[in-house]
Amino acid sequence: MLKKTVSLIILFFAGLSTVLAQNCNIDNLLPRPDKIVMGNANSSFELNAETNIVYDWNKKDLTPAVKELDRIAVEIFGKKMKKNTKAHGANNVIFKYNSSLADEGYILEFTPENILISSKTGAGAFYAVQTLKQIIPVQAYETPIDLKKLTFPTMKISDNPHFAYRGFMLDCSRHFWDVKTIKKVLDILAMHKMNRFHWHLTEDQGWRIEIKKYPLLTKIGSKREQTTTGRNEGMDGIPYGGYYSQSDIKEIVRYAQERFITIIPEIEIPGHSLGALSAYPWLGCEGTAGNYKTWPNWGVSNQIACAGRESTFKFWEDVLGEVIRLFPSEYIHIGGDEAPRDMWKSCPDCQKRIKENGLNNEAELQSYVNNRIEKFLNDRGRKLIGWDEILEGGVSQSATIMSWRGADGGIAAAKKSNYAIMSPDSHCYLNFYQTTDRPDELLCIGGYTPLRKAYSLDPYDKLSKDEQKYIMGVQANLWTEYISTPMQLEYMLLPRLSAIAEIGWCNPSPEEKDIEGFIGRAKELSRYYCAFGWNFGRHFYEDGVQIGW
Ligand code: ACM
Ligand code: ZN
C-alpha cells in the first residue's frame, strides 16, 4: 500500500512537471516582448532547485535582477539559488554584458544547458527576469510544493521598451497610503516593467512629507478634522492624517531603486496648498481671512499661496531643497494644476509683483513662479515637470509638460519642442469607473475608462514624426478622493495599469493594436495577480462581448 502511495506521489510530481512545461506562459506575456524566436521543438531547459546564478559580483547594478530571481526561487523551490562567478557545467542562469543592446533592453535565451540573460544595464537584466517570472506557469506560484522543476522550450526573446518614461502617479494626500502599501504598488509597477513612480505628496487635504525646517507641515498640515462623505454631501466626523517621515522616504526610494523605479516627488505650487497654508498661514495672500484649515472636502479650493511675497519663495526653495536631498530623481514635479488665481487679483503683494515685472496678468504671474522655481531646480542639476496648466502663461523651453486635460497640452508642448508625458484623463485616469455595471461598484469620482479604452491610448495621435520625438512616455494616474483602502486601490489599478504599461513598453500603432488579444493576455496576467495576492477589477470585456471575469 505504501509503495503504491509513493508511486502515485511520484506520478503526480512527474505529471505536474509535464503540465508546467506545457503551460509555459509564452503567448500571453504582457507587455508583449519585441521578438520571440522558438528553438528546436525537441529541446528544452529545466530550471530546478539546483540551478545556479552566474554573474560578475562586481557589477552592483545586477544585484536587483539577482535578488528578484532569488525571490522567484524562494517562492517556487523554497530556497535561494547558488551563486557563482563562472559557470561550472550546465544548469545556470548566466548574466552577460552586451554593450550593443538598448539601455533597458535584454536578450533572454533558453538553451538546453542554460538560461542566458544579456543586457547593457542592470535594468535590462531586471526586465529579463520579469519576463522569466511571467513565462513560469502561474501554477508554480499557486502551488508552493517542493521537488518542482520547470521545463522551458528553447527560445530566444529579444526585447526593449519603446518609451523611456513609463509612469504611474499615486495621490497619497486625499488618502494616505502606508509604507507597506507603497512597496506593494512598487512591486506591481516592476512586474509591469514600469519605471517611474510619481508620488503626489502635498494637497489641500493633507501635507504628507516631513520637512525638517517646517515641522508644522506635518504636525498640523498632515491632519484634517474630518472627511466629507458621498459627493461632498456630509462629514464623517473622524479625524484623519498621516505622513512619511524622511526615514520612510529613504526606505521607499531604496526599495524603488532596487526595482529600477525612479520616484518623482510632486510638491504642489502654488495651488492645492491648504495643507501648507493651515500650518503656515503667512504663505497666503493679503486680504484673505488667514484662518486656513486642511480641507475636509473634495474639489478645487480657491485658496492659493501668495506669489507676491519673497517669504513664499523662500518656503518653496527650502522645501524643494530638502526634497532634492531625499530624491535622486532628475525630475521634480511642481504640480501647477488647478490653481485659481482669484486671490492674486485682490492681493496688493501679488499685484505689485505683476506690475514690477511687467507681467500682463495672473497667468503670467504663475509662469513667473514656475520660471523662478525652475531656475532653482536647474541650478541644482534638476529639471521641472508640471501639469499642462503651466503652459498657460508661457513656459520655458526646458520645462516638461504632463498632459492631463486630454492630450492637447502634450500636443501643444511637442509642437513647441517641449518634452511631454501623455497622461490624458480620458485614457489614463484609473480613478474613473471601469464598468457600467454600477450597482456593485463603490462610489467613484466619475468618468468611465474601461480596460479597452485605456489600451486605445495613442500617445502620438495628431503629431508629426518630428513632434513625436518630444513624447517621453505615458503615465497612469490614480487620484484617491474616493479610494480609501488598499483593496480598493488595487481594484482600480489592475488590470488597467497593464494597458498603460503595454503602451509604454510596446506602443503598437493603431493598426497593430489587437484589442481582443490584449484583453486575453490581461486576463491571463490576472491569474498571476491572484497568485501574488493582488486585488483587481474583473471587468475585462466591458464594452465587448462579455462583462466580468
Ligand atoms: C489633475 O488631475 N488635477 C492633474
Ligand atoms: Zn498674494
Side-chain angles (χ1 to χ4, degrees):
M1 180 61 194
L2 181 66
K3 216 167 155 189
K4 203 167 160 193
T5 313
V6 171
S7 329
L8 276 175
I9 292 173
I10 290 169
L11 265 176
F12 170 76
F13 284 127
L16 183 70
S17 75
T18 319
V19 170
L20 292 183
Q22 283 166 356
N23 288 352
C24 268
N25 182 33
I26 300 162
D27 296 336
N28 290 307
L29 290 169
L30 197 170
R32 193 194 271 301
D34 222 15
K35 195 167 157 200
I36 304 179
V37 178
M38 299 309 292
N40 183 332
N42 297 319
S43 65
S44 59
F45 173 80
E46 185 188 291
L47 185 76
N48 54 43
E50 303 314 315
T51 305
N52 299 288
I53 300 178
V54 176
Y55 75 112
D56 179 352
W57 294 347
N58 293 322
K59 289 226 156 58
K60 290 243 179 322
D61 72 341
L62 284 178
T63 309
V66 170
K67 278 191 175 175
E68 183 73 356
L69 203 45
D70 261 340
R71 281 190 283 270
I72 296 171
V74 168
E75 184 94 7
I76 293 173
F77 304 122
K79 64 173 197 177
K80 292 185 177 177
M81 292 165 121
K82 278 184 252 135
K83 322 280 183 315
N84 283 313
T85 45
K86 282 206 167 60
H88 304 287
N91 198 18
N92 305 291
V93 179
I94 304 175
F95 286 93
K96 299 200 306 185
Y97 176 70
N98 182 337
S99 64
S100 69
L101 294 176
D103 272 354
E104 295 177 292
Y106 66 87
I107 295 173
L108 170 62
E109 198 171 358
F110 297 77
T111 72
E113 296 80 28
N114 296 304
I115 294 179
L116 308 173
I117 292 177
S118 312
S119 68
K120 186 166 86 178
T121 63
F126 184 77
Y127 294 134
V129 174
Q130 290 302 333
T131 299
L132 174 59
K133 186 172 172 178
Q134 253 192 71
I135 291 177
I136 292 173
V138 69
Q139 295 94 326
Y141 303 104
E142 288 168 342
T143 329
I145 51 166
D146 294 338
L147 301 174
K148 236 184 297 182
K149 57 184 182 171
L150 299 166
T151 308
F152 301 92
T154 56
M155 62 185 148
K156 183 172 175 179
I157 299 178
S158 316
D159 200 8
N160 93 76
H162 183 92
F163 285 116
Y165 187 112
R166 305 179 300 279
F168 169 66
M169 184 223 68
L170 182 63
D171 168 10
C172 296
S173 297
R174 272 51 176 265
H175 282 102
F176 175 72
W177 307 100
D178 63 12
V179 171
K180 186 164 156 249
T181 305
I182 300 292
K183 286 183 176 177
K184 193 170 186 185
V185 166
L186 292 169
D187 285 340
I188 292 173
L189 297 185
M191 197 210 180
H192 291 83
K193 299 190 174 86
M194 299 191 88
N195 64 359
R196 298 288 191 285
F197 175 56
H198 168 176
W199 202 357
H200 187 79
L201 287 165
T202 71
E203 259 305 335
D204 292 321
Q205 292 84 0
W207 181 283
R208 306 272 175 240
I209 170 174
E210 180 190 20
I211 299 295
K212 303 266 190 206
K213 198 158 191 175
Y214 298 95
L216 300 187
L217 286 171
T218 40
K219 190 155 184 234
I220 294 174
S222 74
K223 297 176 184 150
R224 55 180 185 254
E225 283 172 4
Q226 52 188 344
T227 303
T228 185
T229 54
R231 295 190 191 281
N232 284 337
E233 284 149 20
M235 285 292 160
D236 67 3
I238 305 168
Y240 189 89
Y243 69 89
Y244 306 100
S245 68
Q246 294 206 351
S247 109
D248 291 337
I249 288 170
K250 286 177 193 158
E251 184 183 331
I252 288 170
V253 166
R254 254 195 320 272
Y255 193 88
Q257 281 172 333
E258 284 184 359
R259 285 150 184 80
F260 292 96
I261 296 169
T262 302
I263 301 191
I264 298 179
E266 180 185 355
I267 304 296
E268 279 272 17
I269 294 173
H272 289 283
S273 291
L274 267 173
L277 290 165
S278 69
Y280 297 101
W282 48 262
L283 288 169
C285 279
E286 270 299 312
T288 53
N291 185 22
Y292 303 108
K293 268 198 175 153
T294 311
W295 219 25
N297 290 313
W298 308 140
V300 179
S301 152
N302 65 349
Q303 301 299 338
I304 186 170
C306 178
R309 283 196 298 277
E310 279 306 295
S311 49
T312 315
F313 284 89
K314 168 94 170 63
F315 170 82
W316 283 328
E317 292 182 2
D318 287 342
V319 167
L320 289 172
E322 291 194 31
V323 165
I324 282 170
R325 284 194 288 283
L326 287 167
F327 294 94
S329 166
E330 181 184 18
Y331 287 96
I332 305 291
H333 203 301
I334 61 131
D337 59 317
E338 298 175 325
R341 304 177 194 111
D342 308 315
M343 294 294 166
W344 288 356
K345 287 194 178 133
S346 50
C347 170
D349 294 322
C350 287
Q351 290 307 312
K352 185 160 170 262
R353 174 89 73 197
I354 287 176
K355 212 163 166 190
E356 281 177 3
N357 289 276
L359 306 172
N360 288 313
N361 51 40
E362 287 72 25
E364 288 189 14
L365 179 56
Q366 189 170 347
S367 293
Y368 169 92
V369 170
N370 296 340
N371 291 339
R372 271 187 67 172
I373 297 294
E374 186 178 22
K375 176 158 183 352
F376 176 84
L377 292 174
N378 291 167
D379 287 350
R380 285 149 189 83
R382 308 302 178 97
K383 292 181 178 166
L384 177 146
I385 299 184
W387 296 109
D388 58 47
E389 283 92 334
I390 70 168
L391 285 164
E392 284 169 10
V395 76
S396 80
Q397 200 53 61
S398 45
T400 297
I401 310 303
M402 190 166 271
S403 191
W404 75 277
R405 296 177 297 179
D408 290 353
I411 293 169
K415 287 192 184 299
K416 53 197 262 13
S417 309
N418 275 77
Y419 283 100
I421 294 149
M422 284 300 192
S423 189
D425 51 356
S426 50
H427 297 71
C428 297
Y429 272 36
L430 306 187
N431 44 309
F432 287 179
Y433 282 109
Q434 55 189 313
T435 172
T436 48
D437 193 11
R438 300 288 158 82
D440 288 340
E441 291 294 291
L442 291 173
L443 187 68
C444 256
I445 201 162
Y448 175 48
T449 305
L451 180 62
R452 66 180 60 230
K453 176 80 184 281
Y455 184 64
S456 71
L457 172 68
D458 175 6
Y460 289 154
D461 191 26
K462 301 195 179 76
L463 292 172
S464 70
K465 270 264 167 297
D466 256 4
E467 292 159 353
Q468 289 173 15
K469 290 197 300 245
Y470 293 98
I471 305 302
M472 283 164 54
V474 292
Q475 180 170 294
N477 295 330
L478 196 57
W479 299 100
T480 61
E481 288 94 334
Y482 295 85
I483 301 170
S484 57
T485 66
M487 278 283 276
Q488 200 188 353
L489 187 163
E490 291 165 34
Y491 175 82
M492 300 304 279
L493 182 63
L494 300 173
R496 291 178 292 177
L497 182 79
S498 70
I500 305 305
E502 171 116 336
I503 304 298
W505 189 270
C506 314
N507 196 31
S509 66
E511 305 78 55
E512 285 167 338
K513 268 186 190 167
D514 166 16
I515 180 79
E516 300 312 324
F518 166 76
I519 289 176
R521 283 184 292 124
K523 197 168 160 222
E524 198 54 36
L525 188 62
S526 73
R527 298 181 59 194
Y528 290 78
Y529 298 163
C530 267
F532 300 153
W534 301 342
N535 191 26
F536 59 97
R538 267 75 170 167
H539 310 283
F540 291 92
Y541 292 96
E542 190 83 2
D543 273 357
V545 267
Q546 175 196 331
I547 292 182
W549 198 22

